[in-house]
Amino acid sequence: MAYTRGNLAVKEKVAERSYPSQRYRETTKVVTRRSTLPIREKLLYMMTVVVCVAIMGGLLLQNSTLYNIKRQMYNLNTQIQAINVQVKEMSIRKEKLEQQIPQEAAKLGYVEPVEEGFHVKLPAGTDN
């Protein structure tokens, strides 16, 4: 005897496996026909897709233009920084050369004037 949900007094059910004999089996098949879309609706969908693609293309073109401008700005900034470094190096070189002017002048035989001011020699034939 089987133990069914805590009750031993329950009688087991014998599975009935007797099928009624049938000579044929009735089957049904549902056939659905898809209706085609009208031409106007097709054109509407196609134009919607074309407009969306055109808008996306315009946005992509504008984005690429902005990217090119930003890239050029970045390149110009790097060039400006490189030129600023060169300017600093040249100003240091200029200061060094300015300090060497009196030494080079002395080597070439120039002397500093004793009196301050500008002395201009005029030719003898001019009247002032």
Side-chain angles (χ1 to χ4, degrees):
M1 173 110 348
Y3 181 76
T4 306
R5 293 186 189 169
N7 192 353
L8 292 173
V10 176
K11 186 177 181 182
E12 289 186 35
K13 291 185 181 180
V14 178
E16 296 180 18
R17 295 189 180 210
S18 63
Y19 295 109
S21 64
Q22 292 181 353
R23 291 187 181 177
Y24 64 92
R25 189 173 181 184
E26 186 178 331
T27 59
T28 59
K29 186 174 183 181
V30 178
V31 177
T32 57
R33 290 183 83 189
R34 282 188 156 180
S35 62
T36 59
L37 292 175
I39 293 177
R40 286 184 181 175
E41 195 170 352
K42 286 181 184 178
L43 287 175
L44 176 68
Y45 291 150
M46 191 168 40
M47 290 306 292
T48 304
V49 169
V50 168
V51 168
C52 288
V53 168
I55 290 172
M56 293 291 185
L59 290 174
L60 184 65
L61 181 66
Q62 185 179 14
N63 194 16
S64 66
T65 305
L66 287 175
Y67 174 76
N68 287 335
I69 290 171
K70 287 181 181 181
R71 188 69 185 160
Q72 288 174 358
M73 287 175 49
Y74 175 76
N75 291 340
L76 287 176
N77 283 338
T78 54
Q79 289 176 355
I80 288 172
Q81 289 175 354
I83 290 173
N84 283 340
V85 168
Q86 289 178 354
V87 166
K88 288 179 183 178
E89 290 174 357
M90 294 293 181
S91 65
I92 291 172
R93 185 174 173 202
K94 179 187 136 200
E95 289 176 5
K96 288 181 181 178
L97 289 175
E98 284 177 349
Q99 291 173 357
Q100 293 176 359
I101 288 175
Q103 297 168 356
E104 293 294 324
K107 287 180 187 176
L108 294 173
Y110 293 106
V111 291
E112 291 185 33
V114 195
E115 299 175 6
E116 288 188 24
F118 293 103
H119 299 285
V120 179
K121 293 184 180 179
L122 295 174
T126 60
D127 291 328
N128 262 350

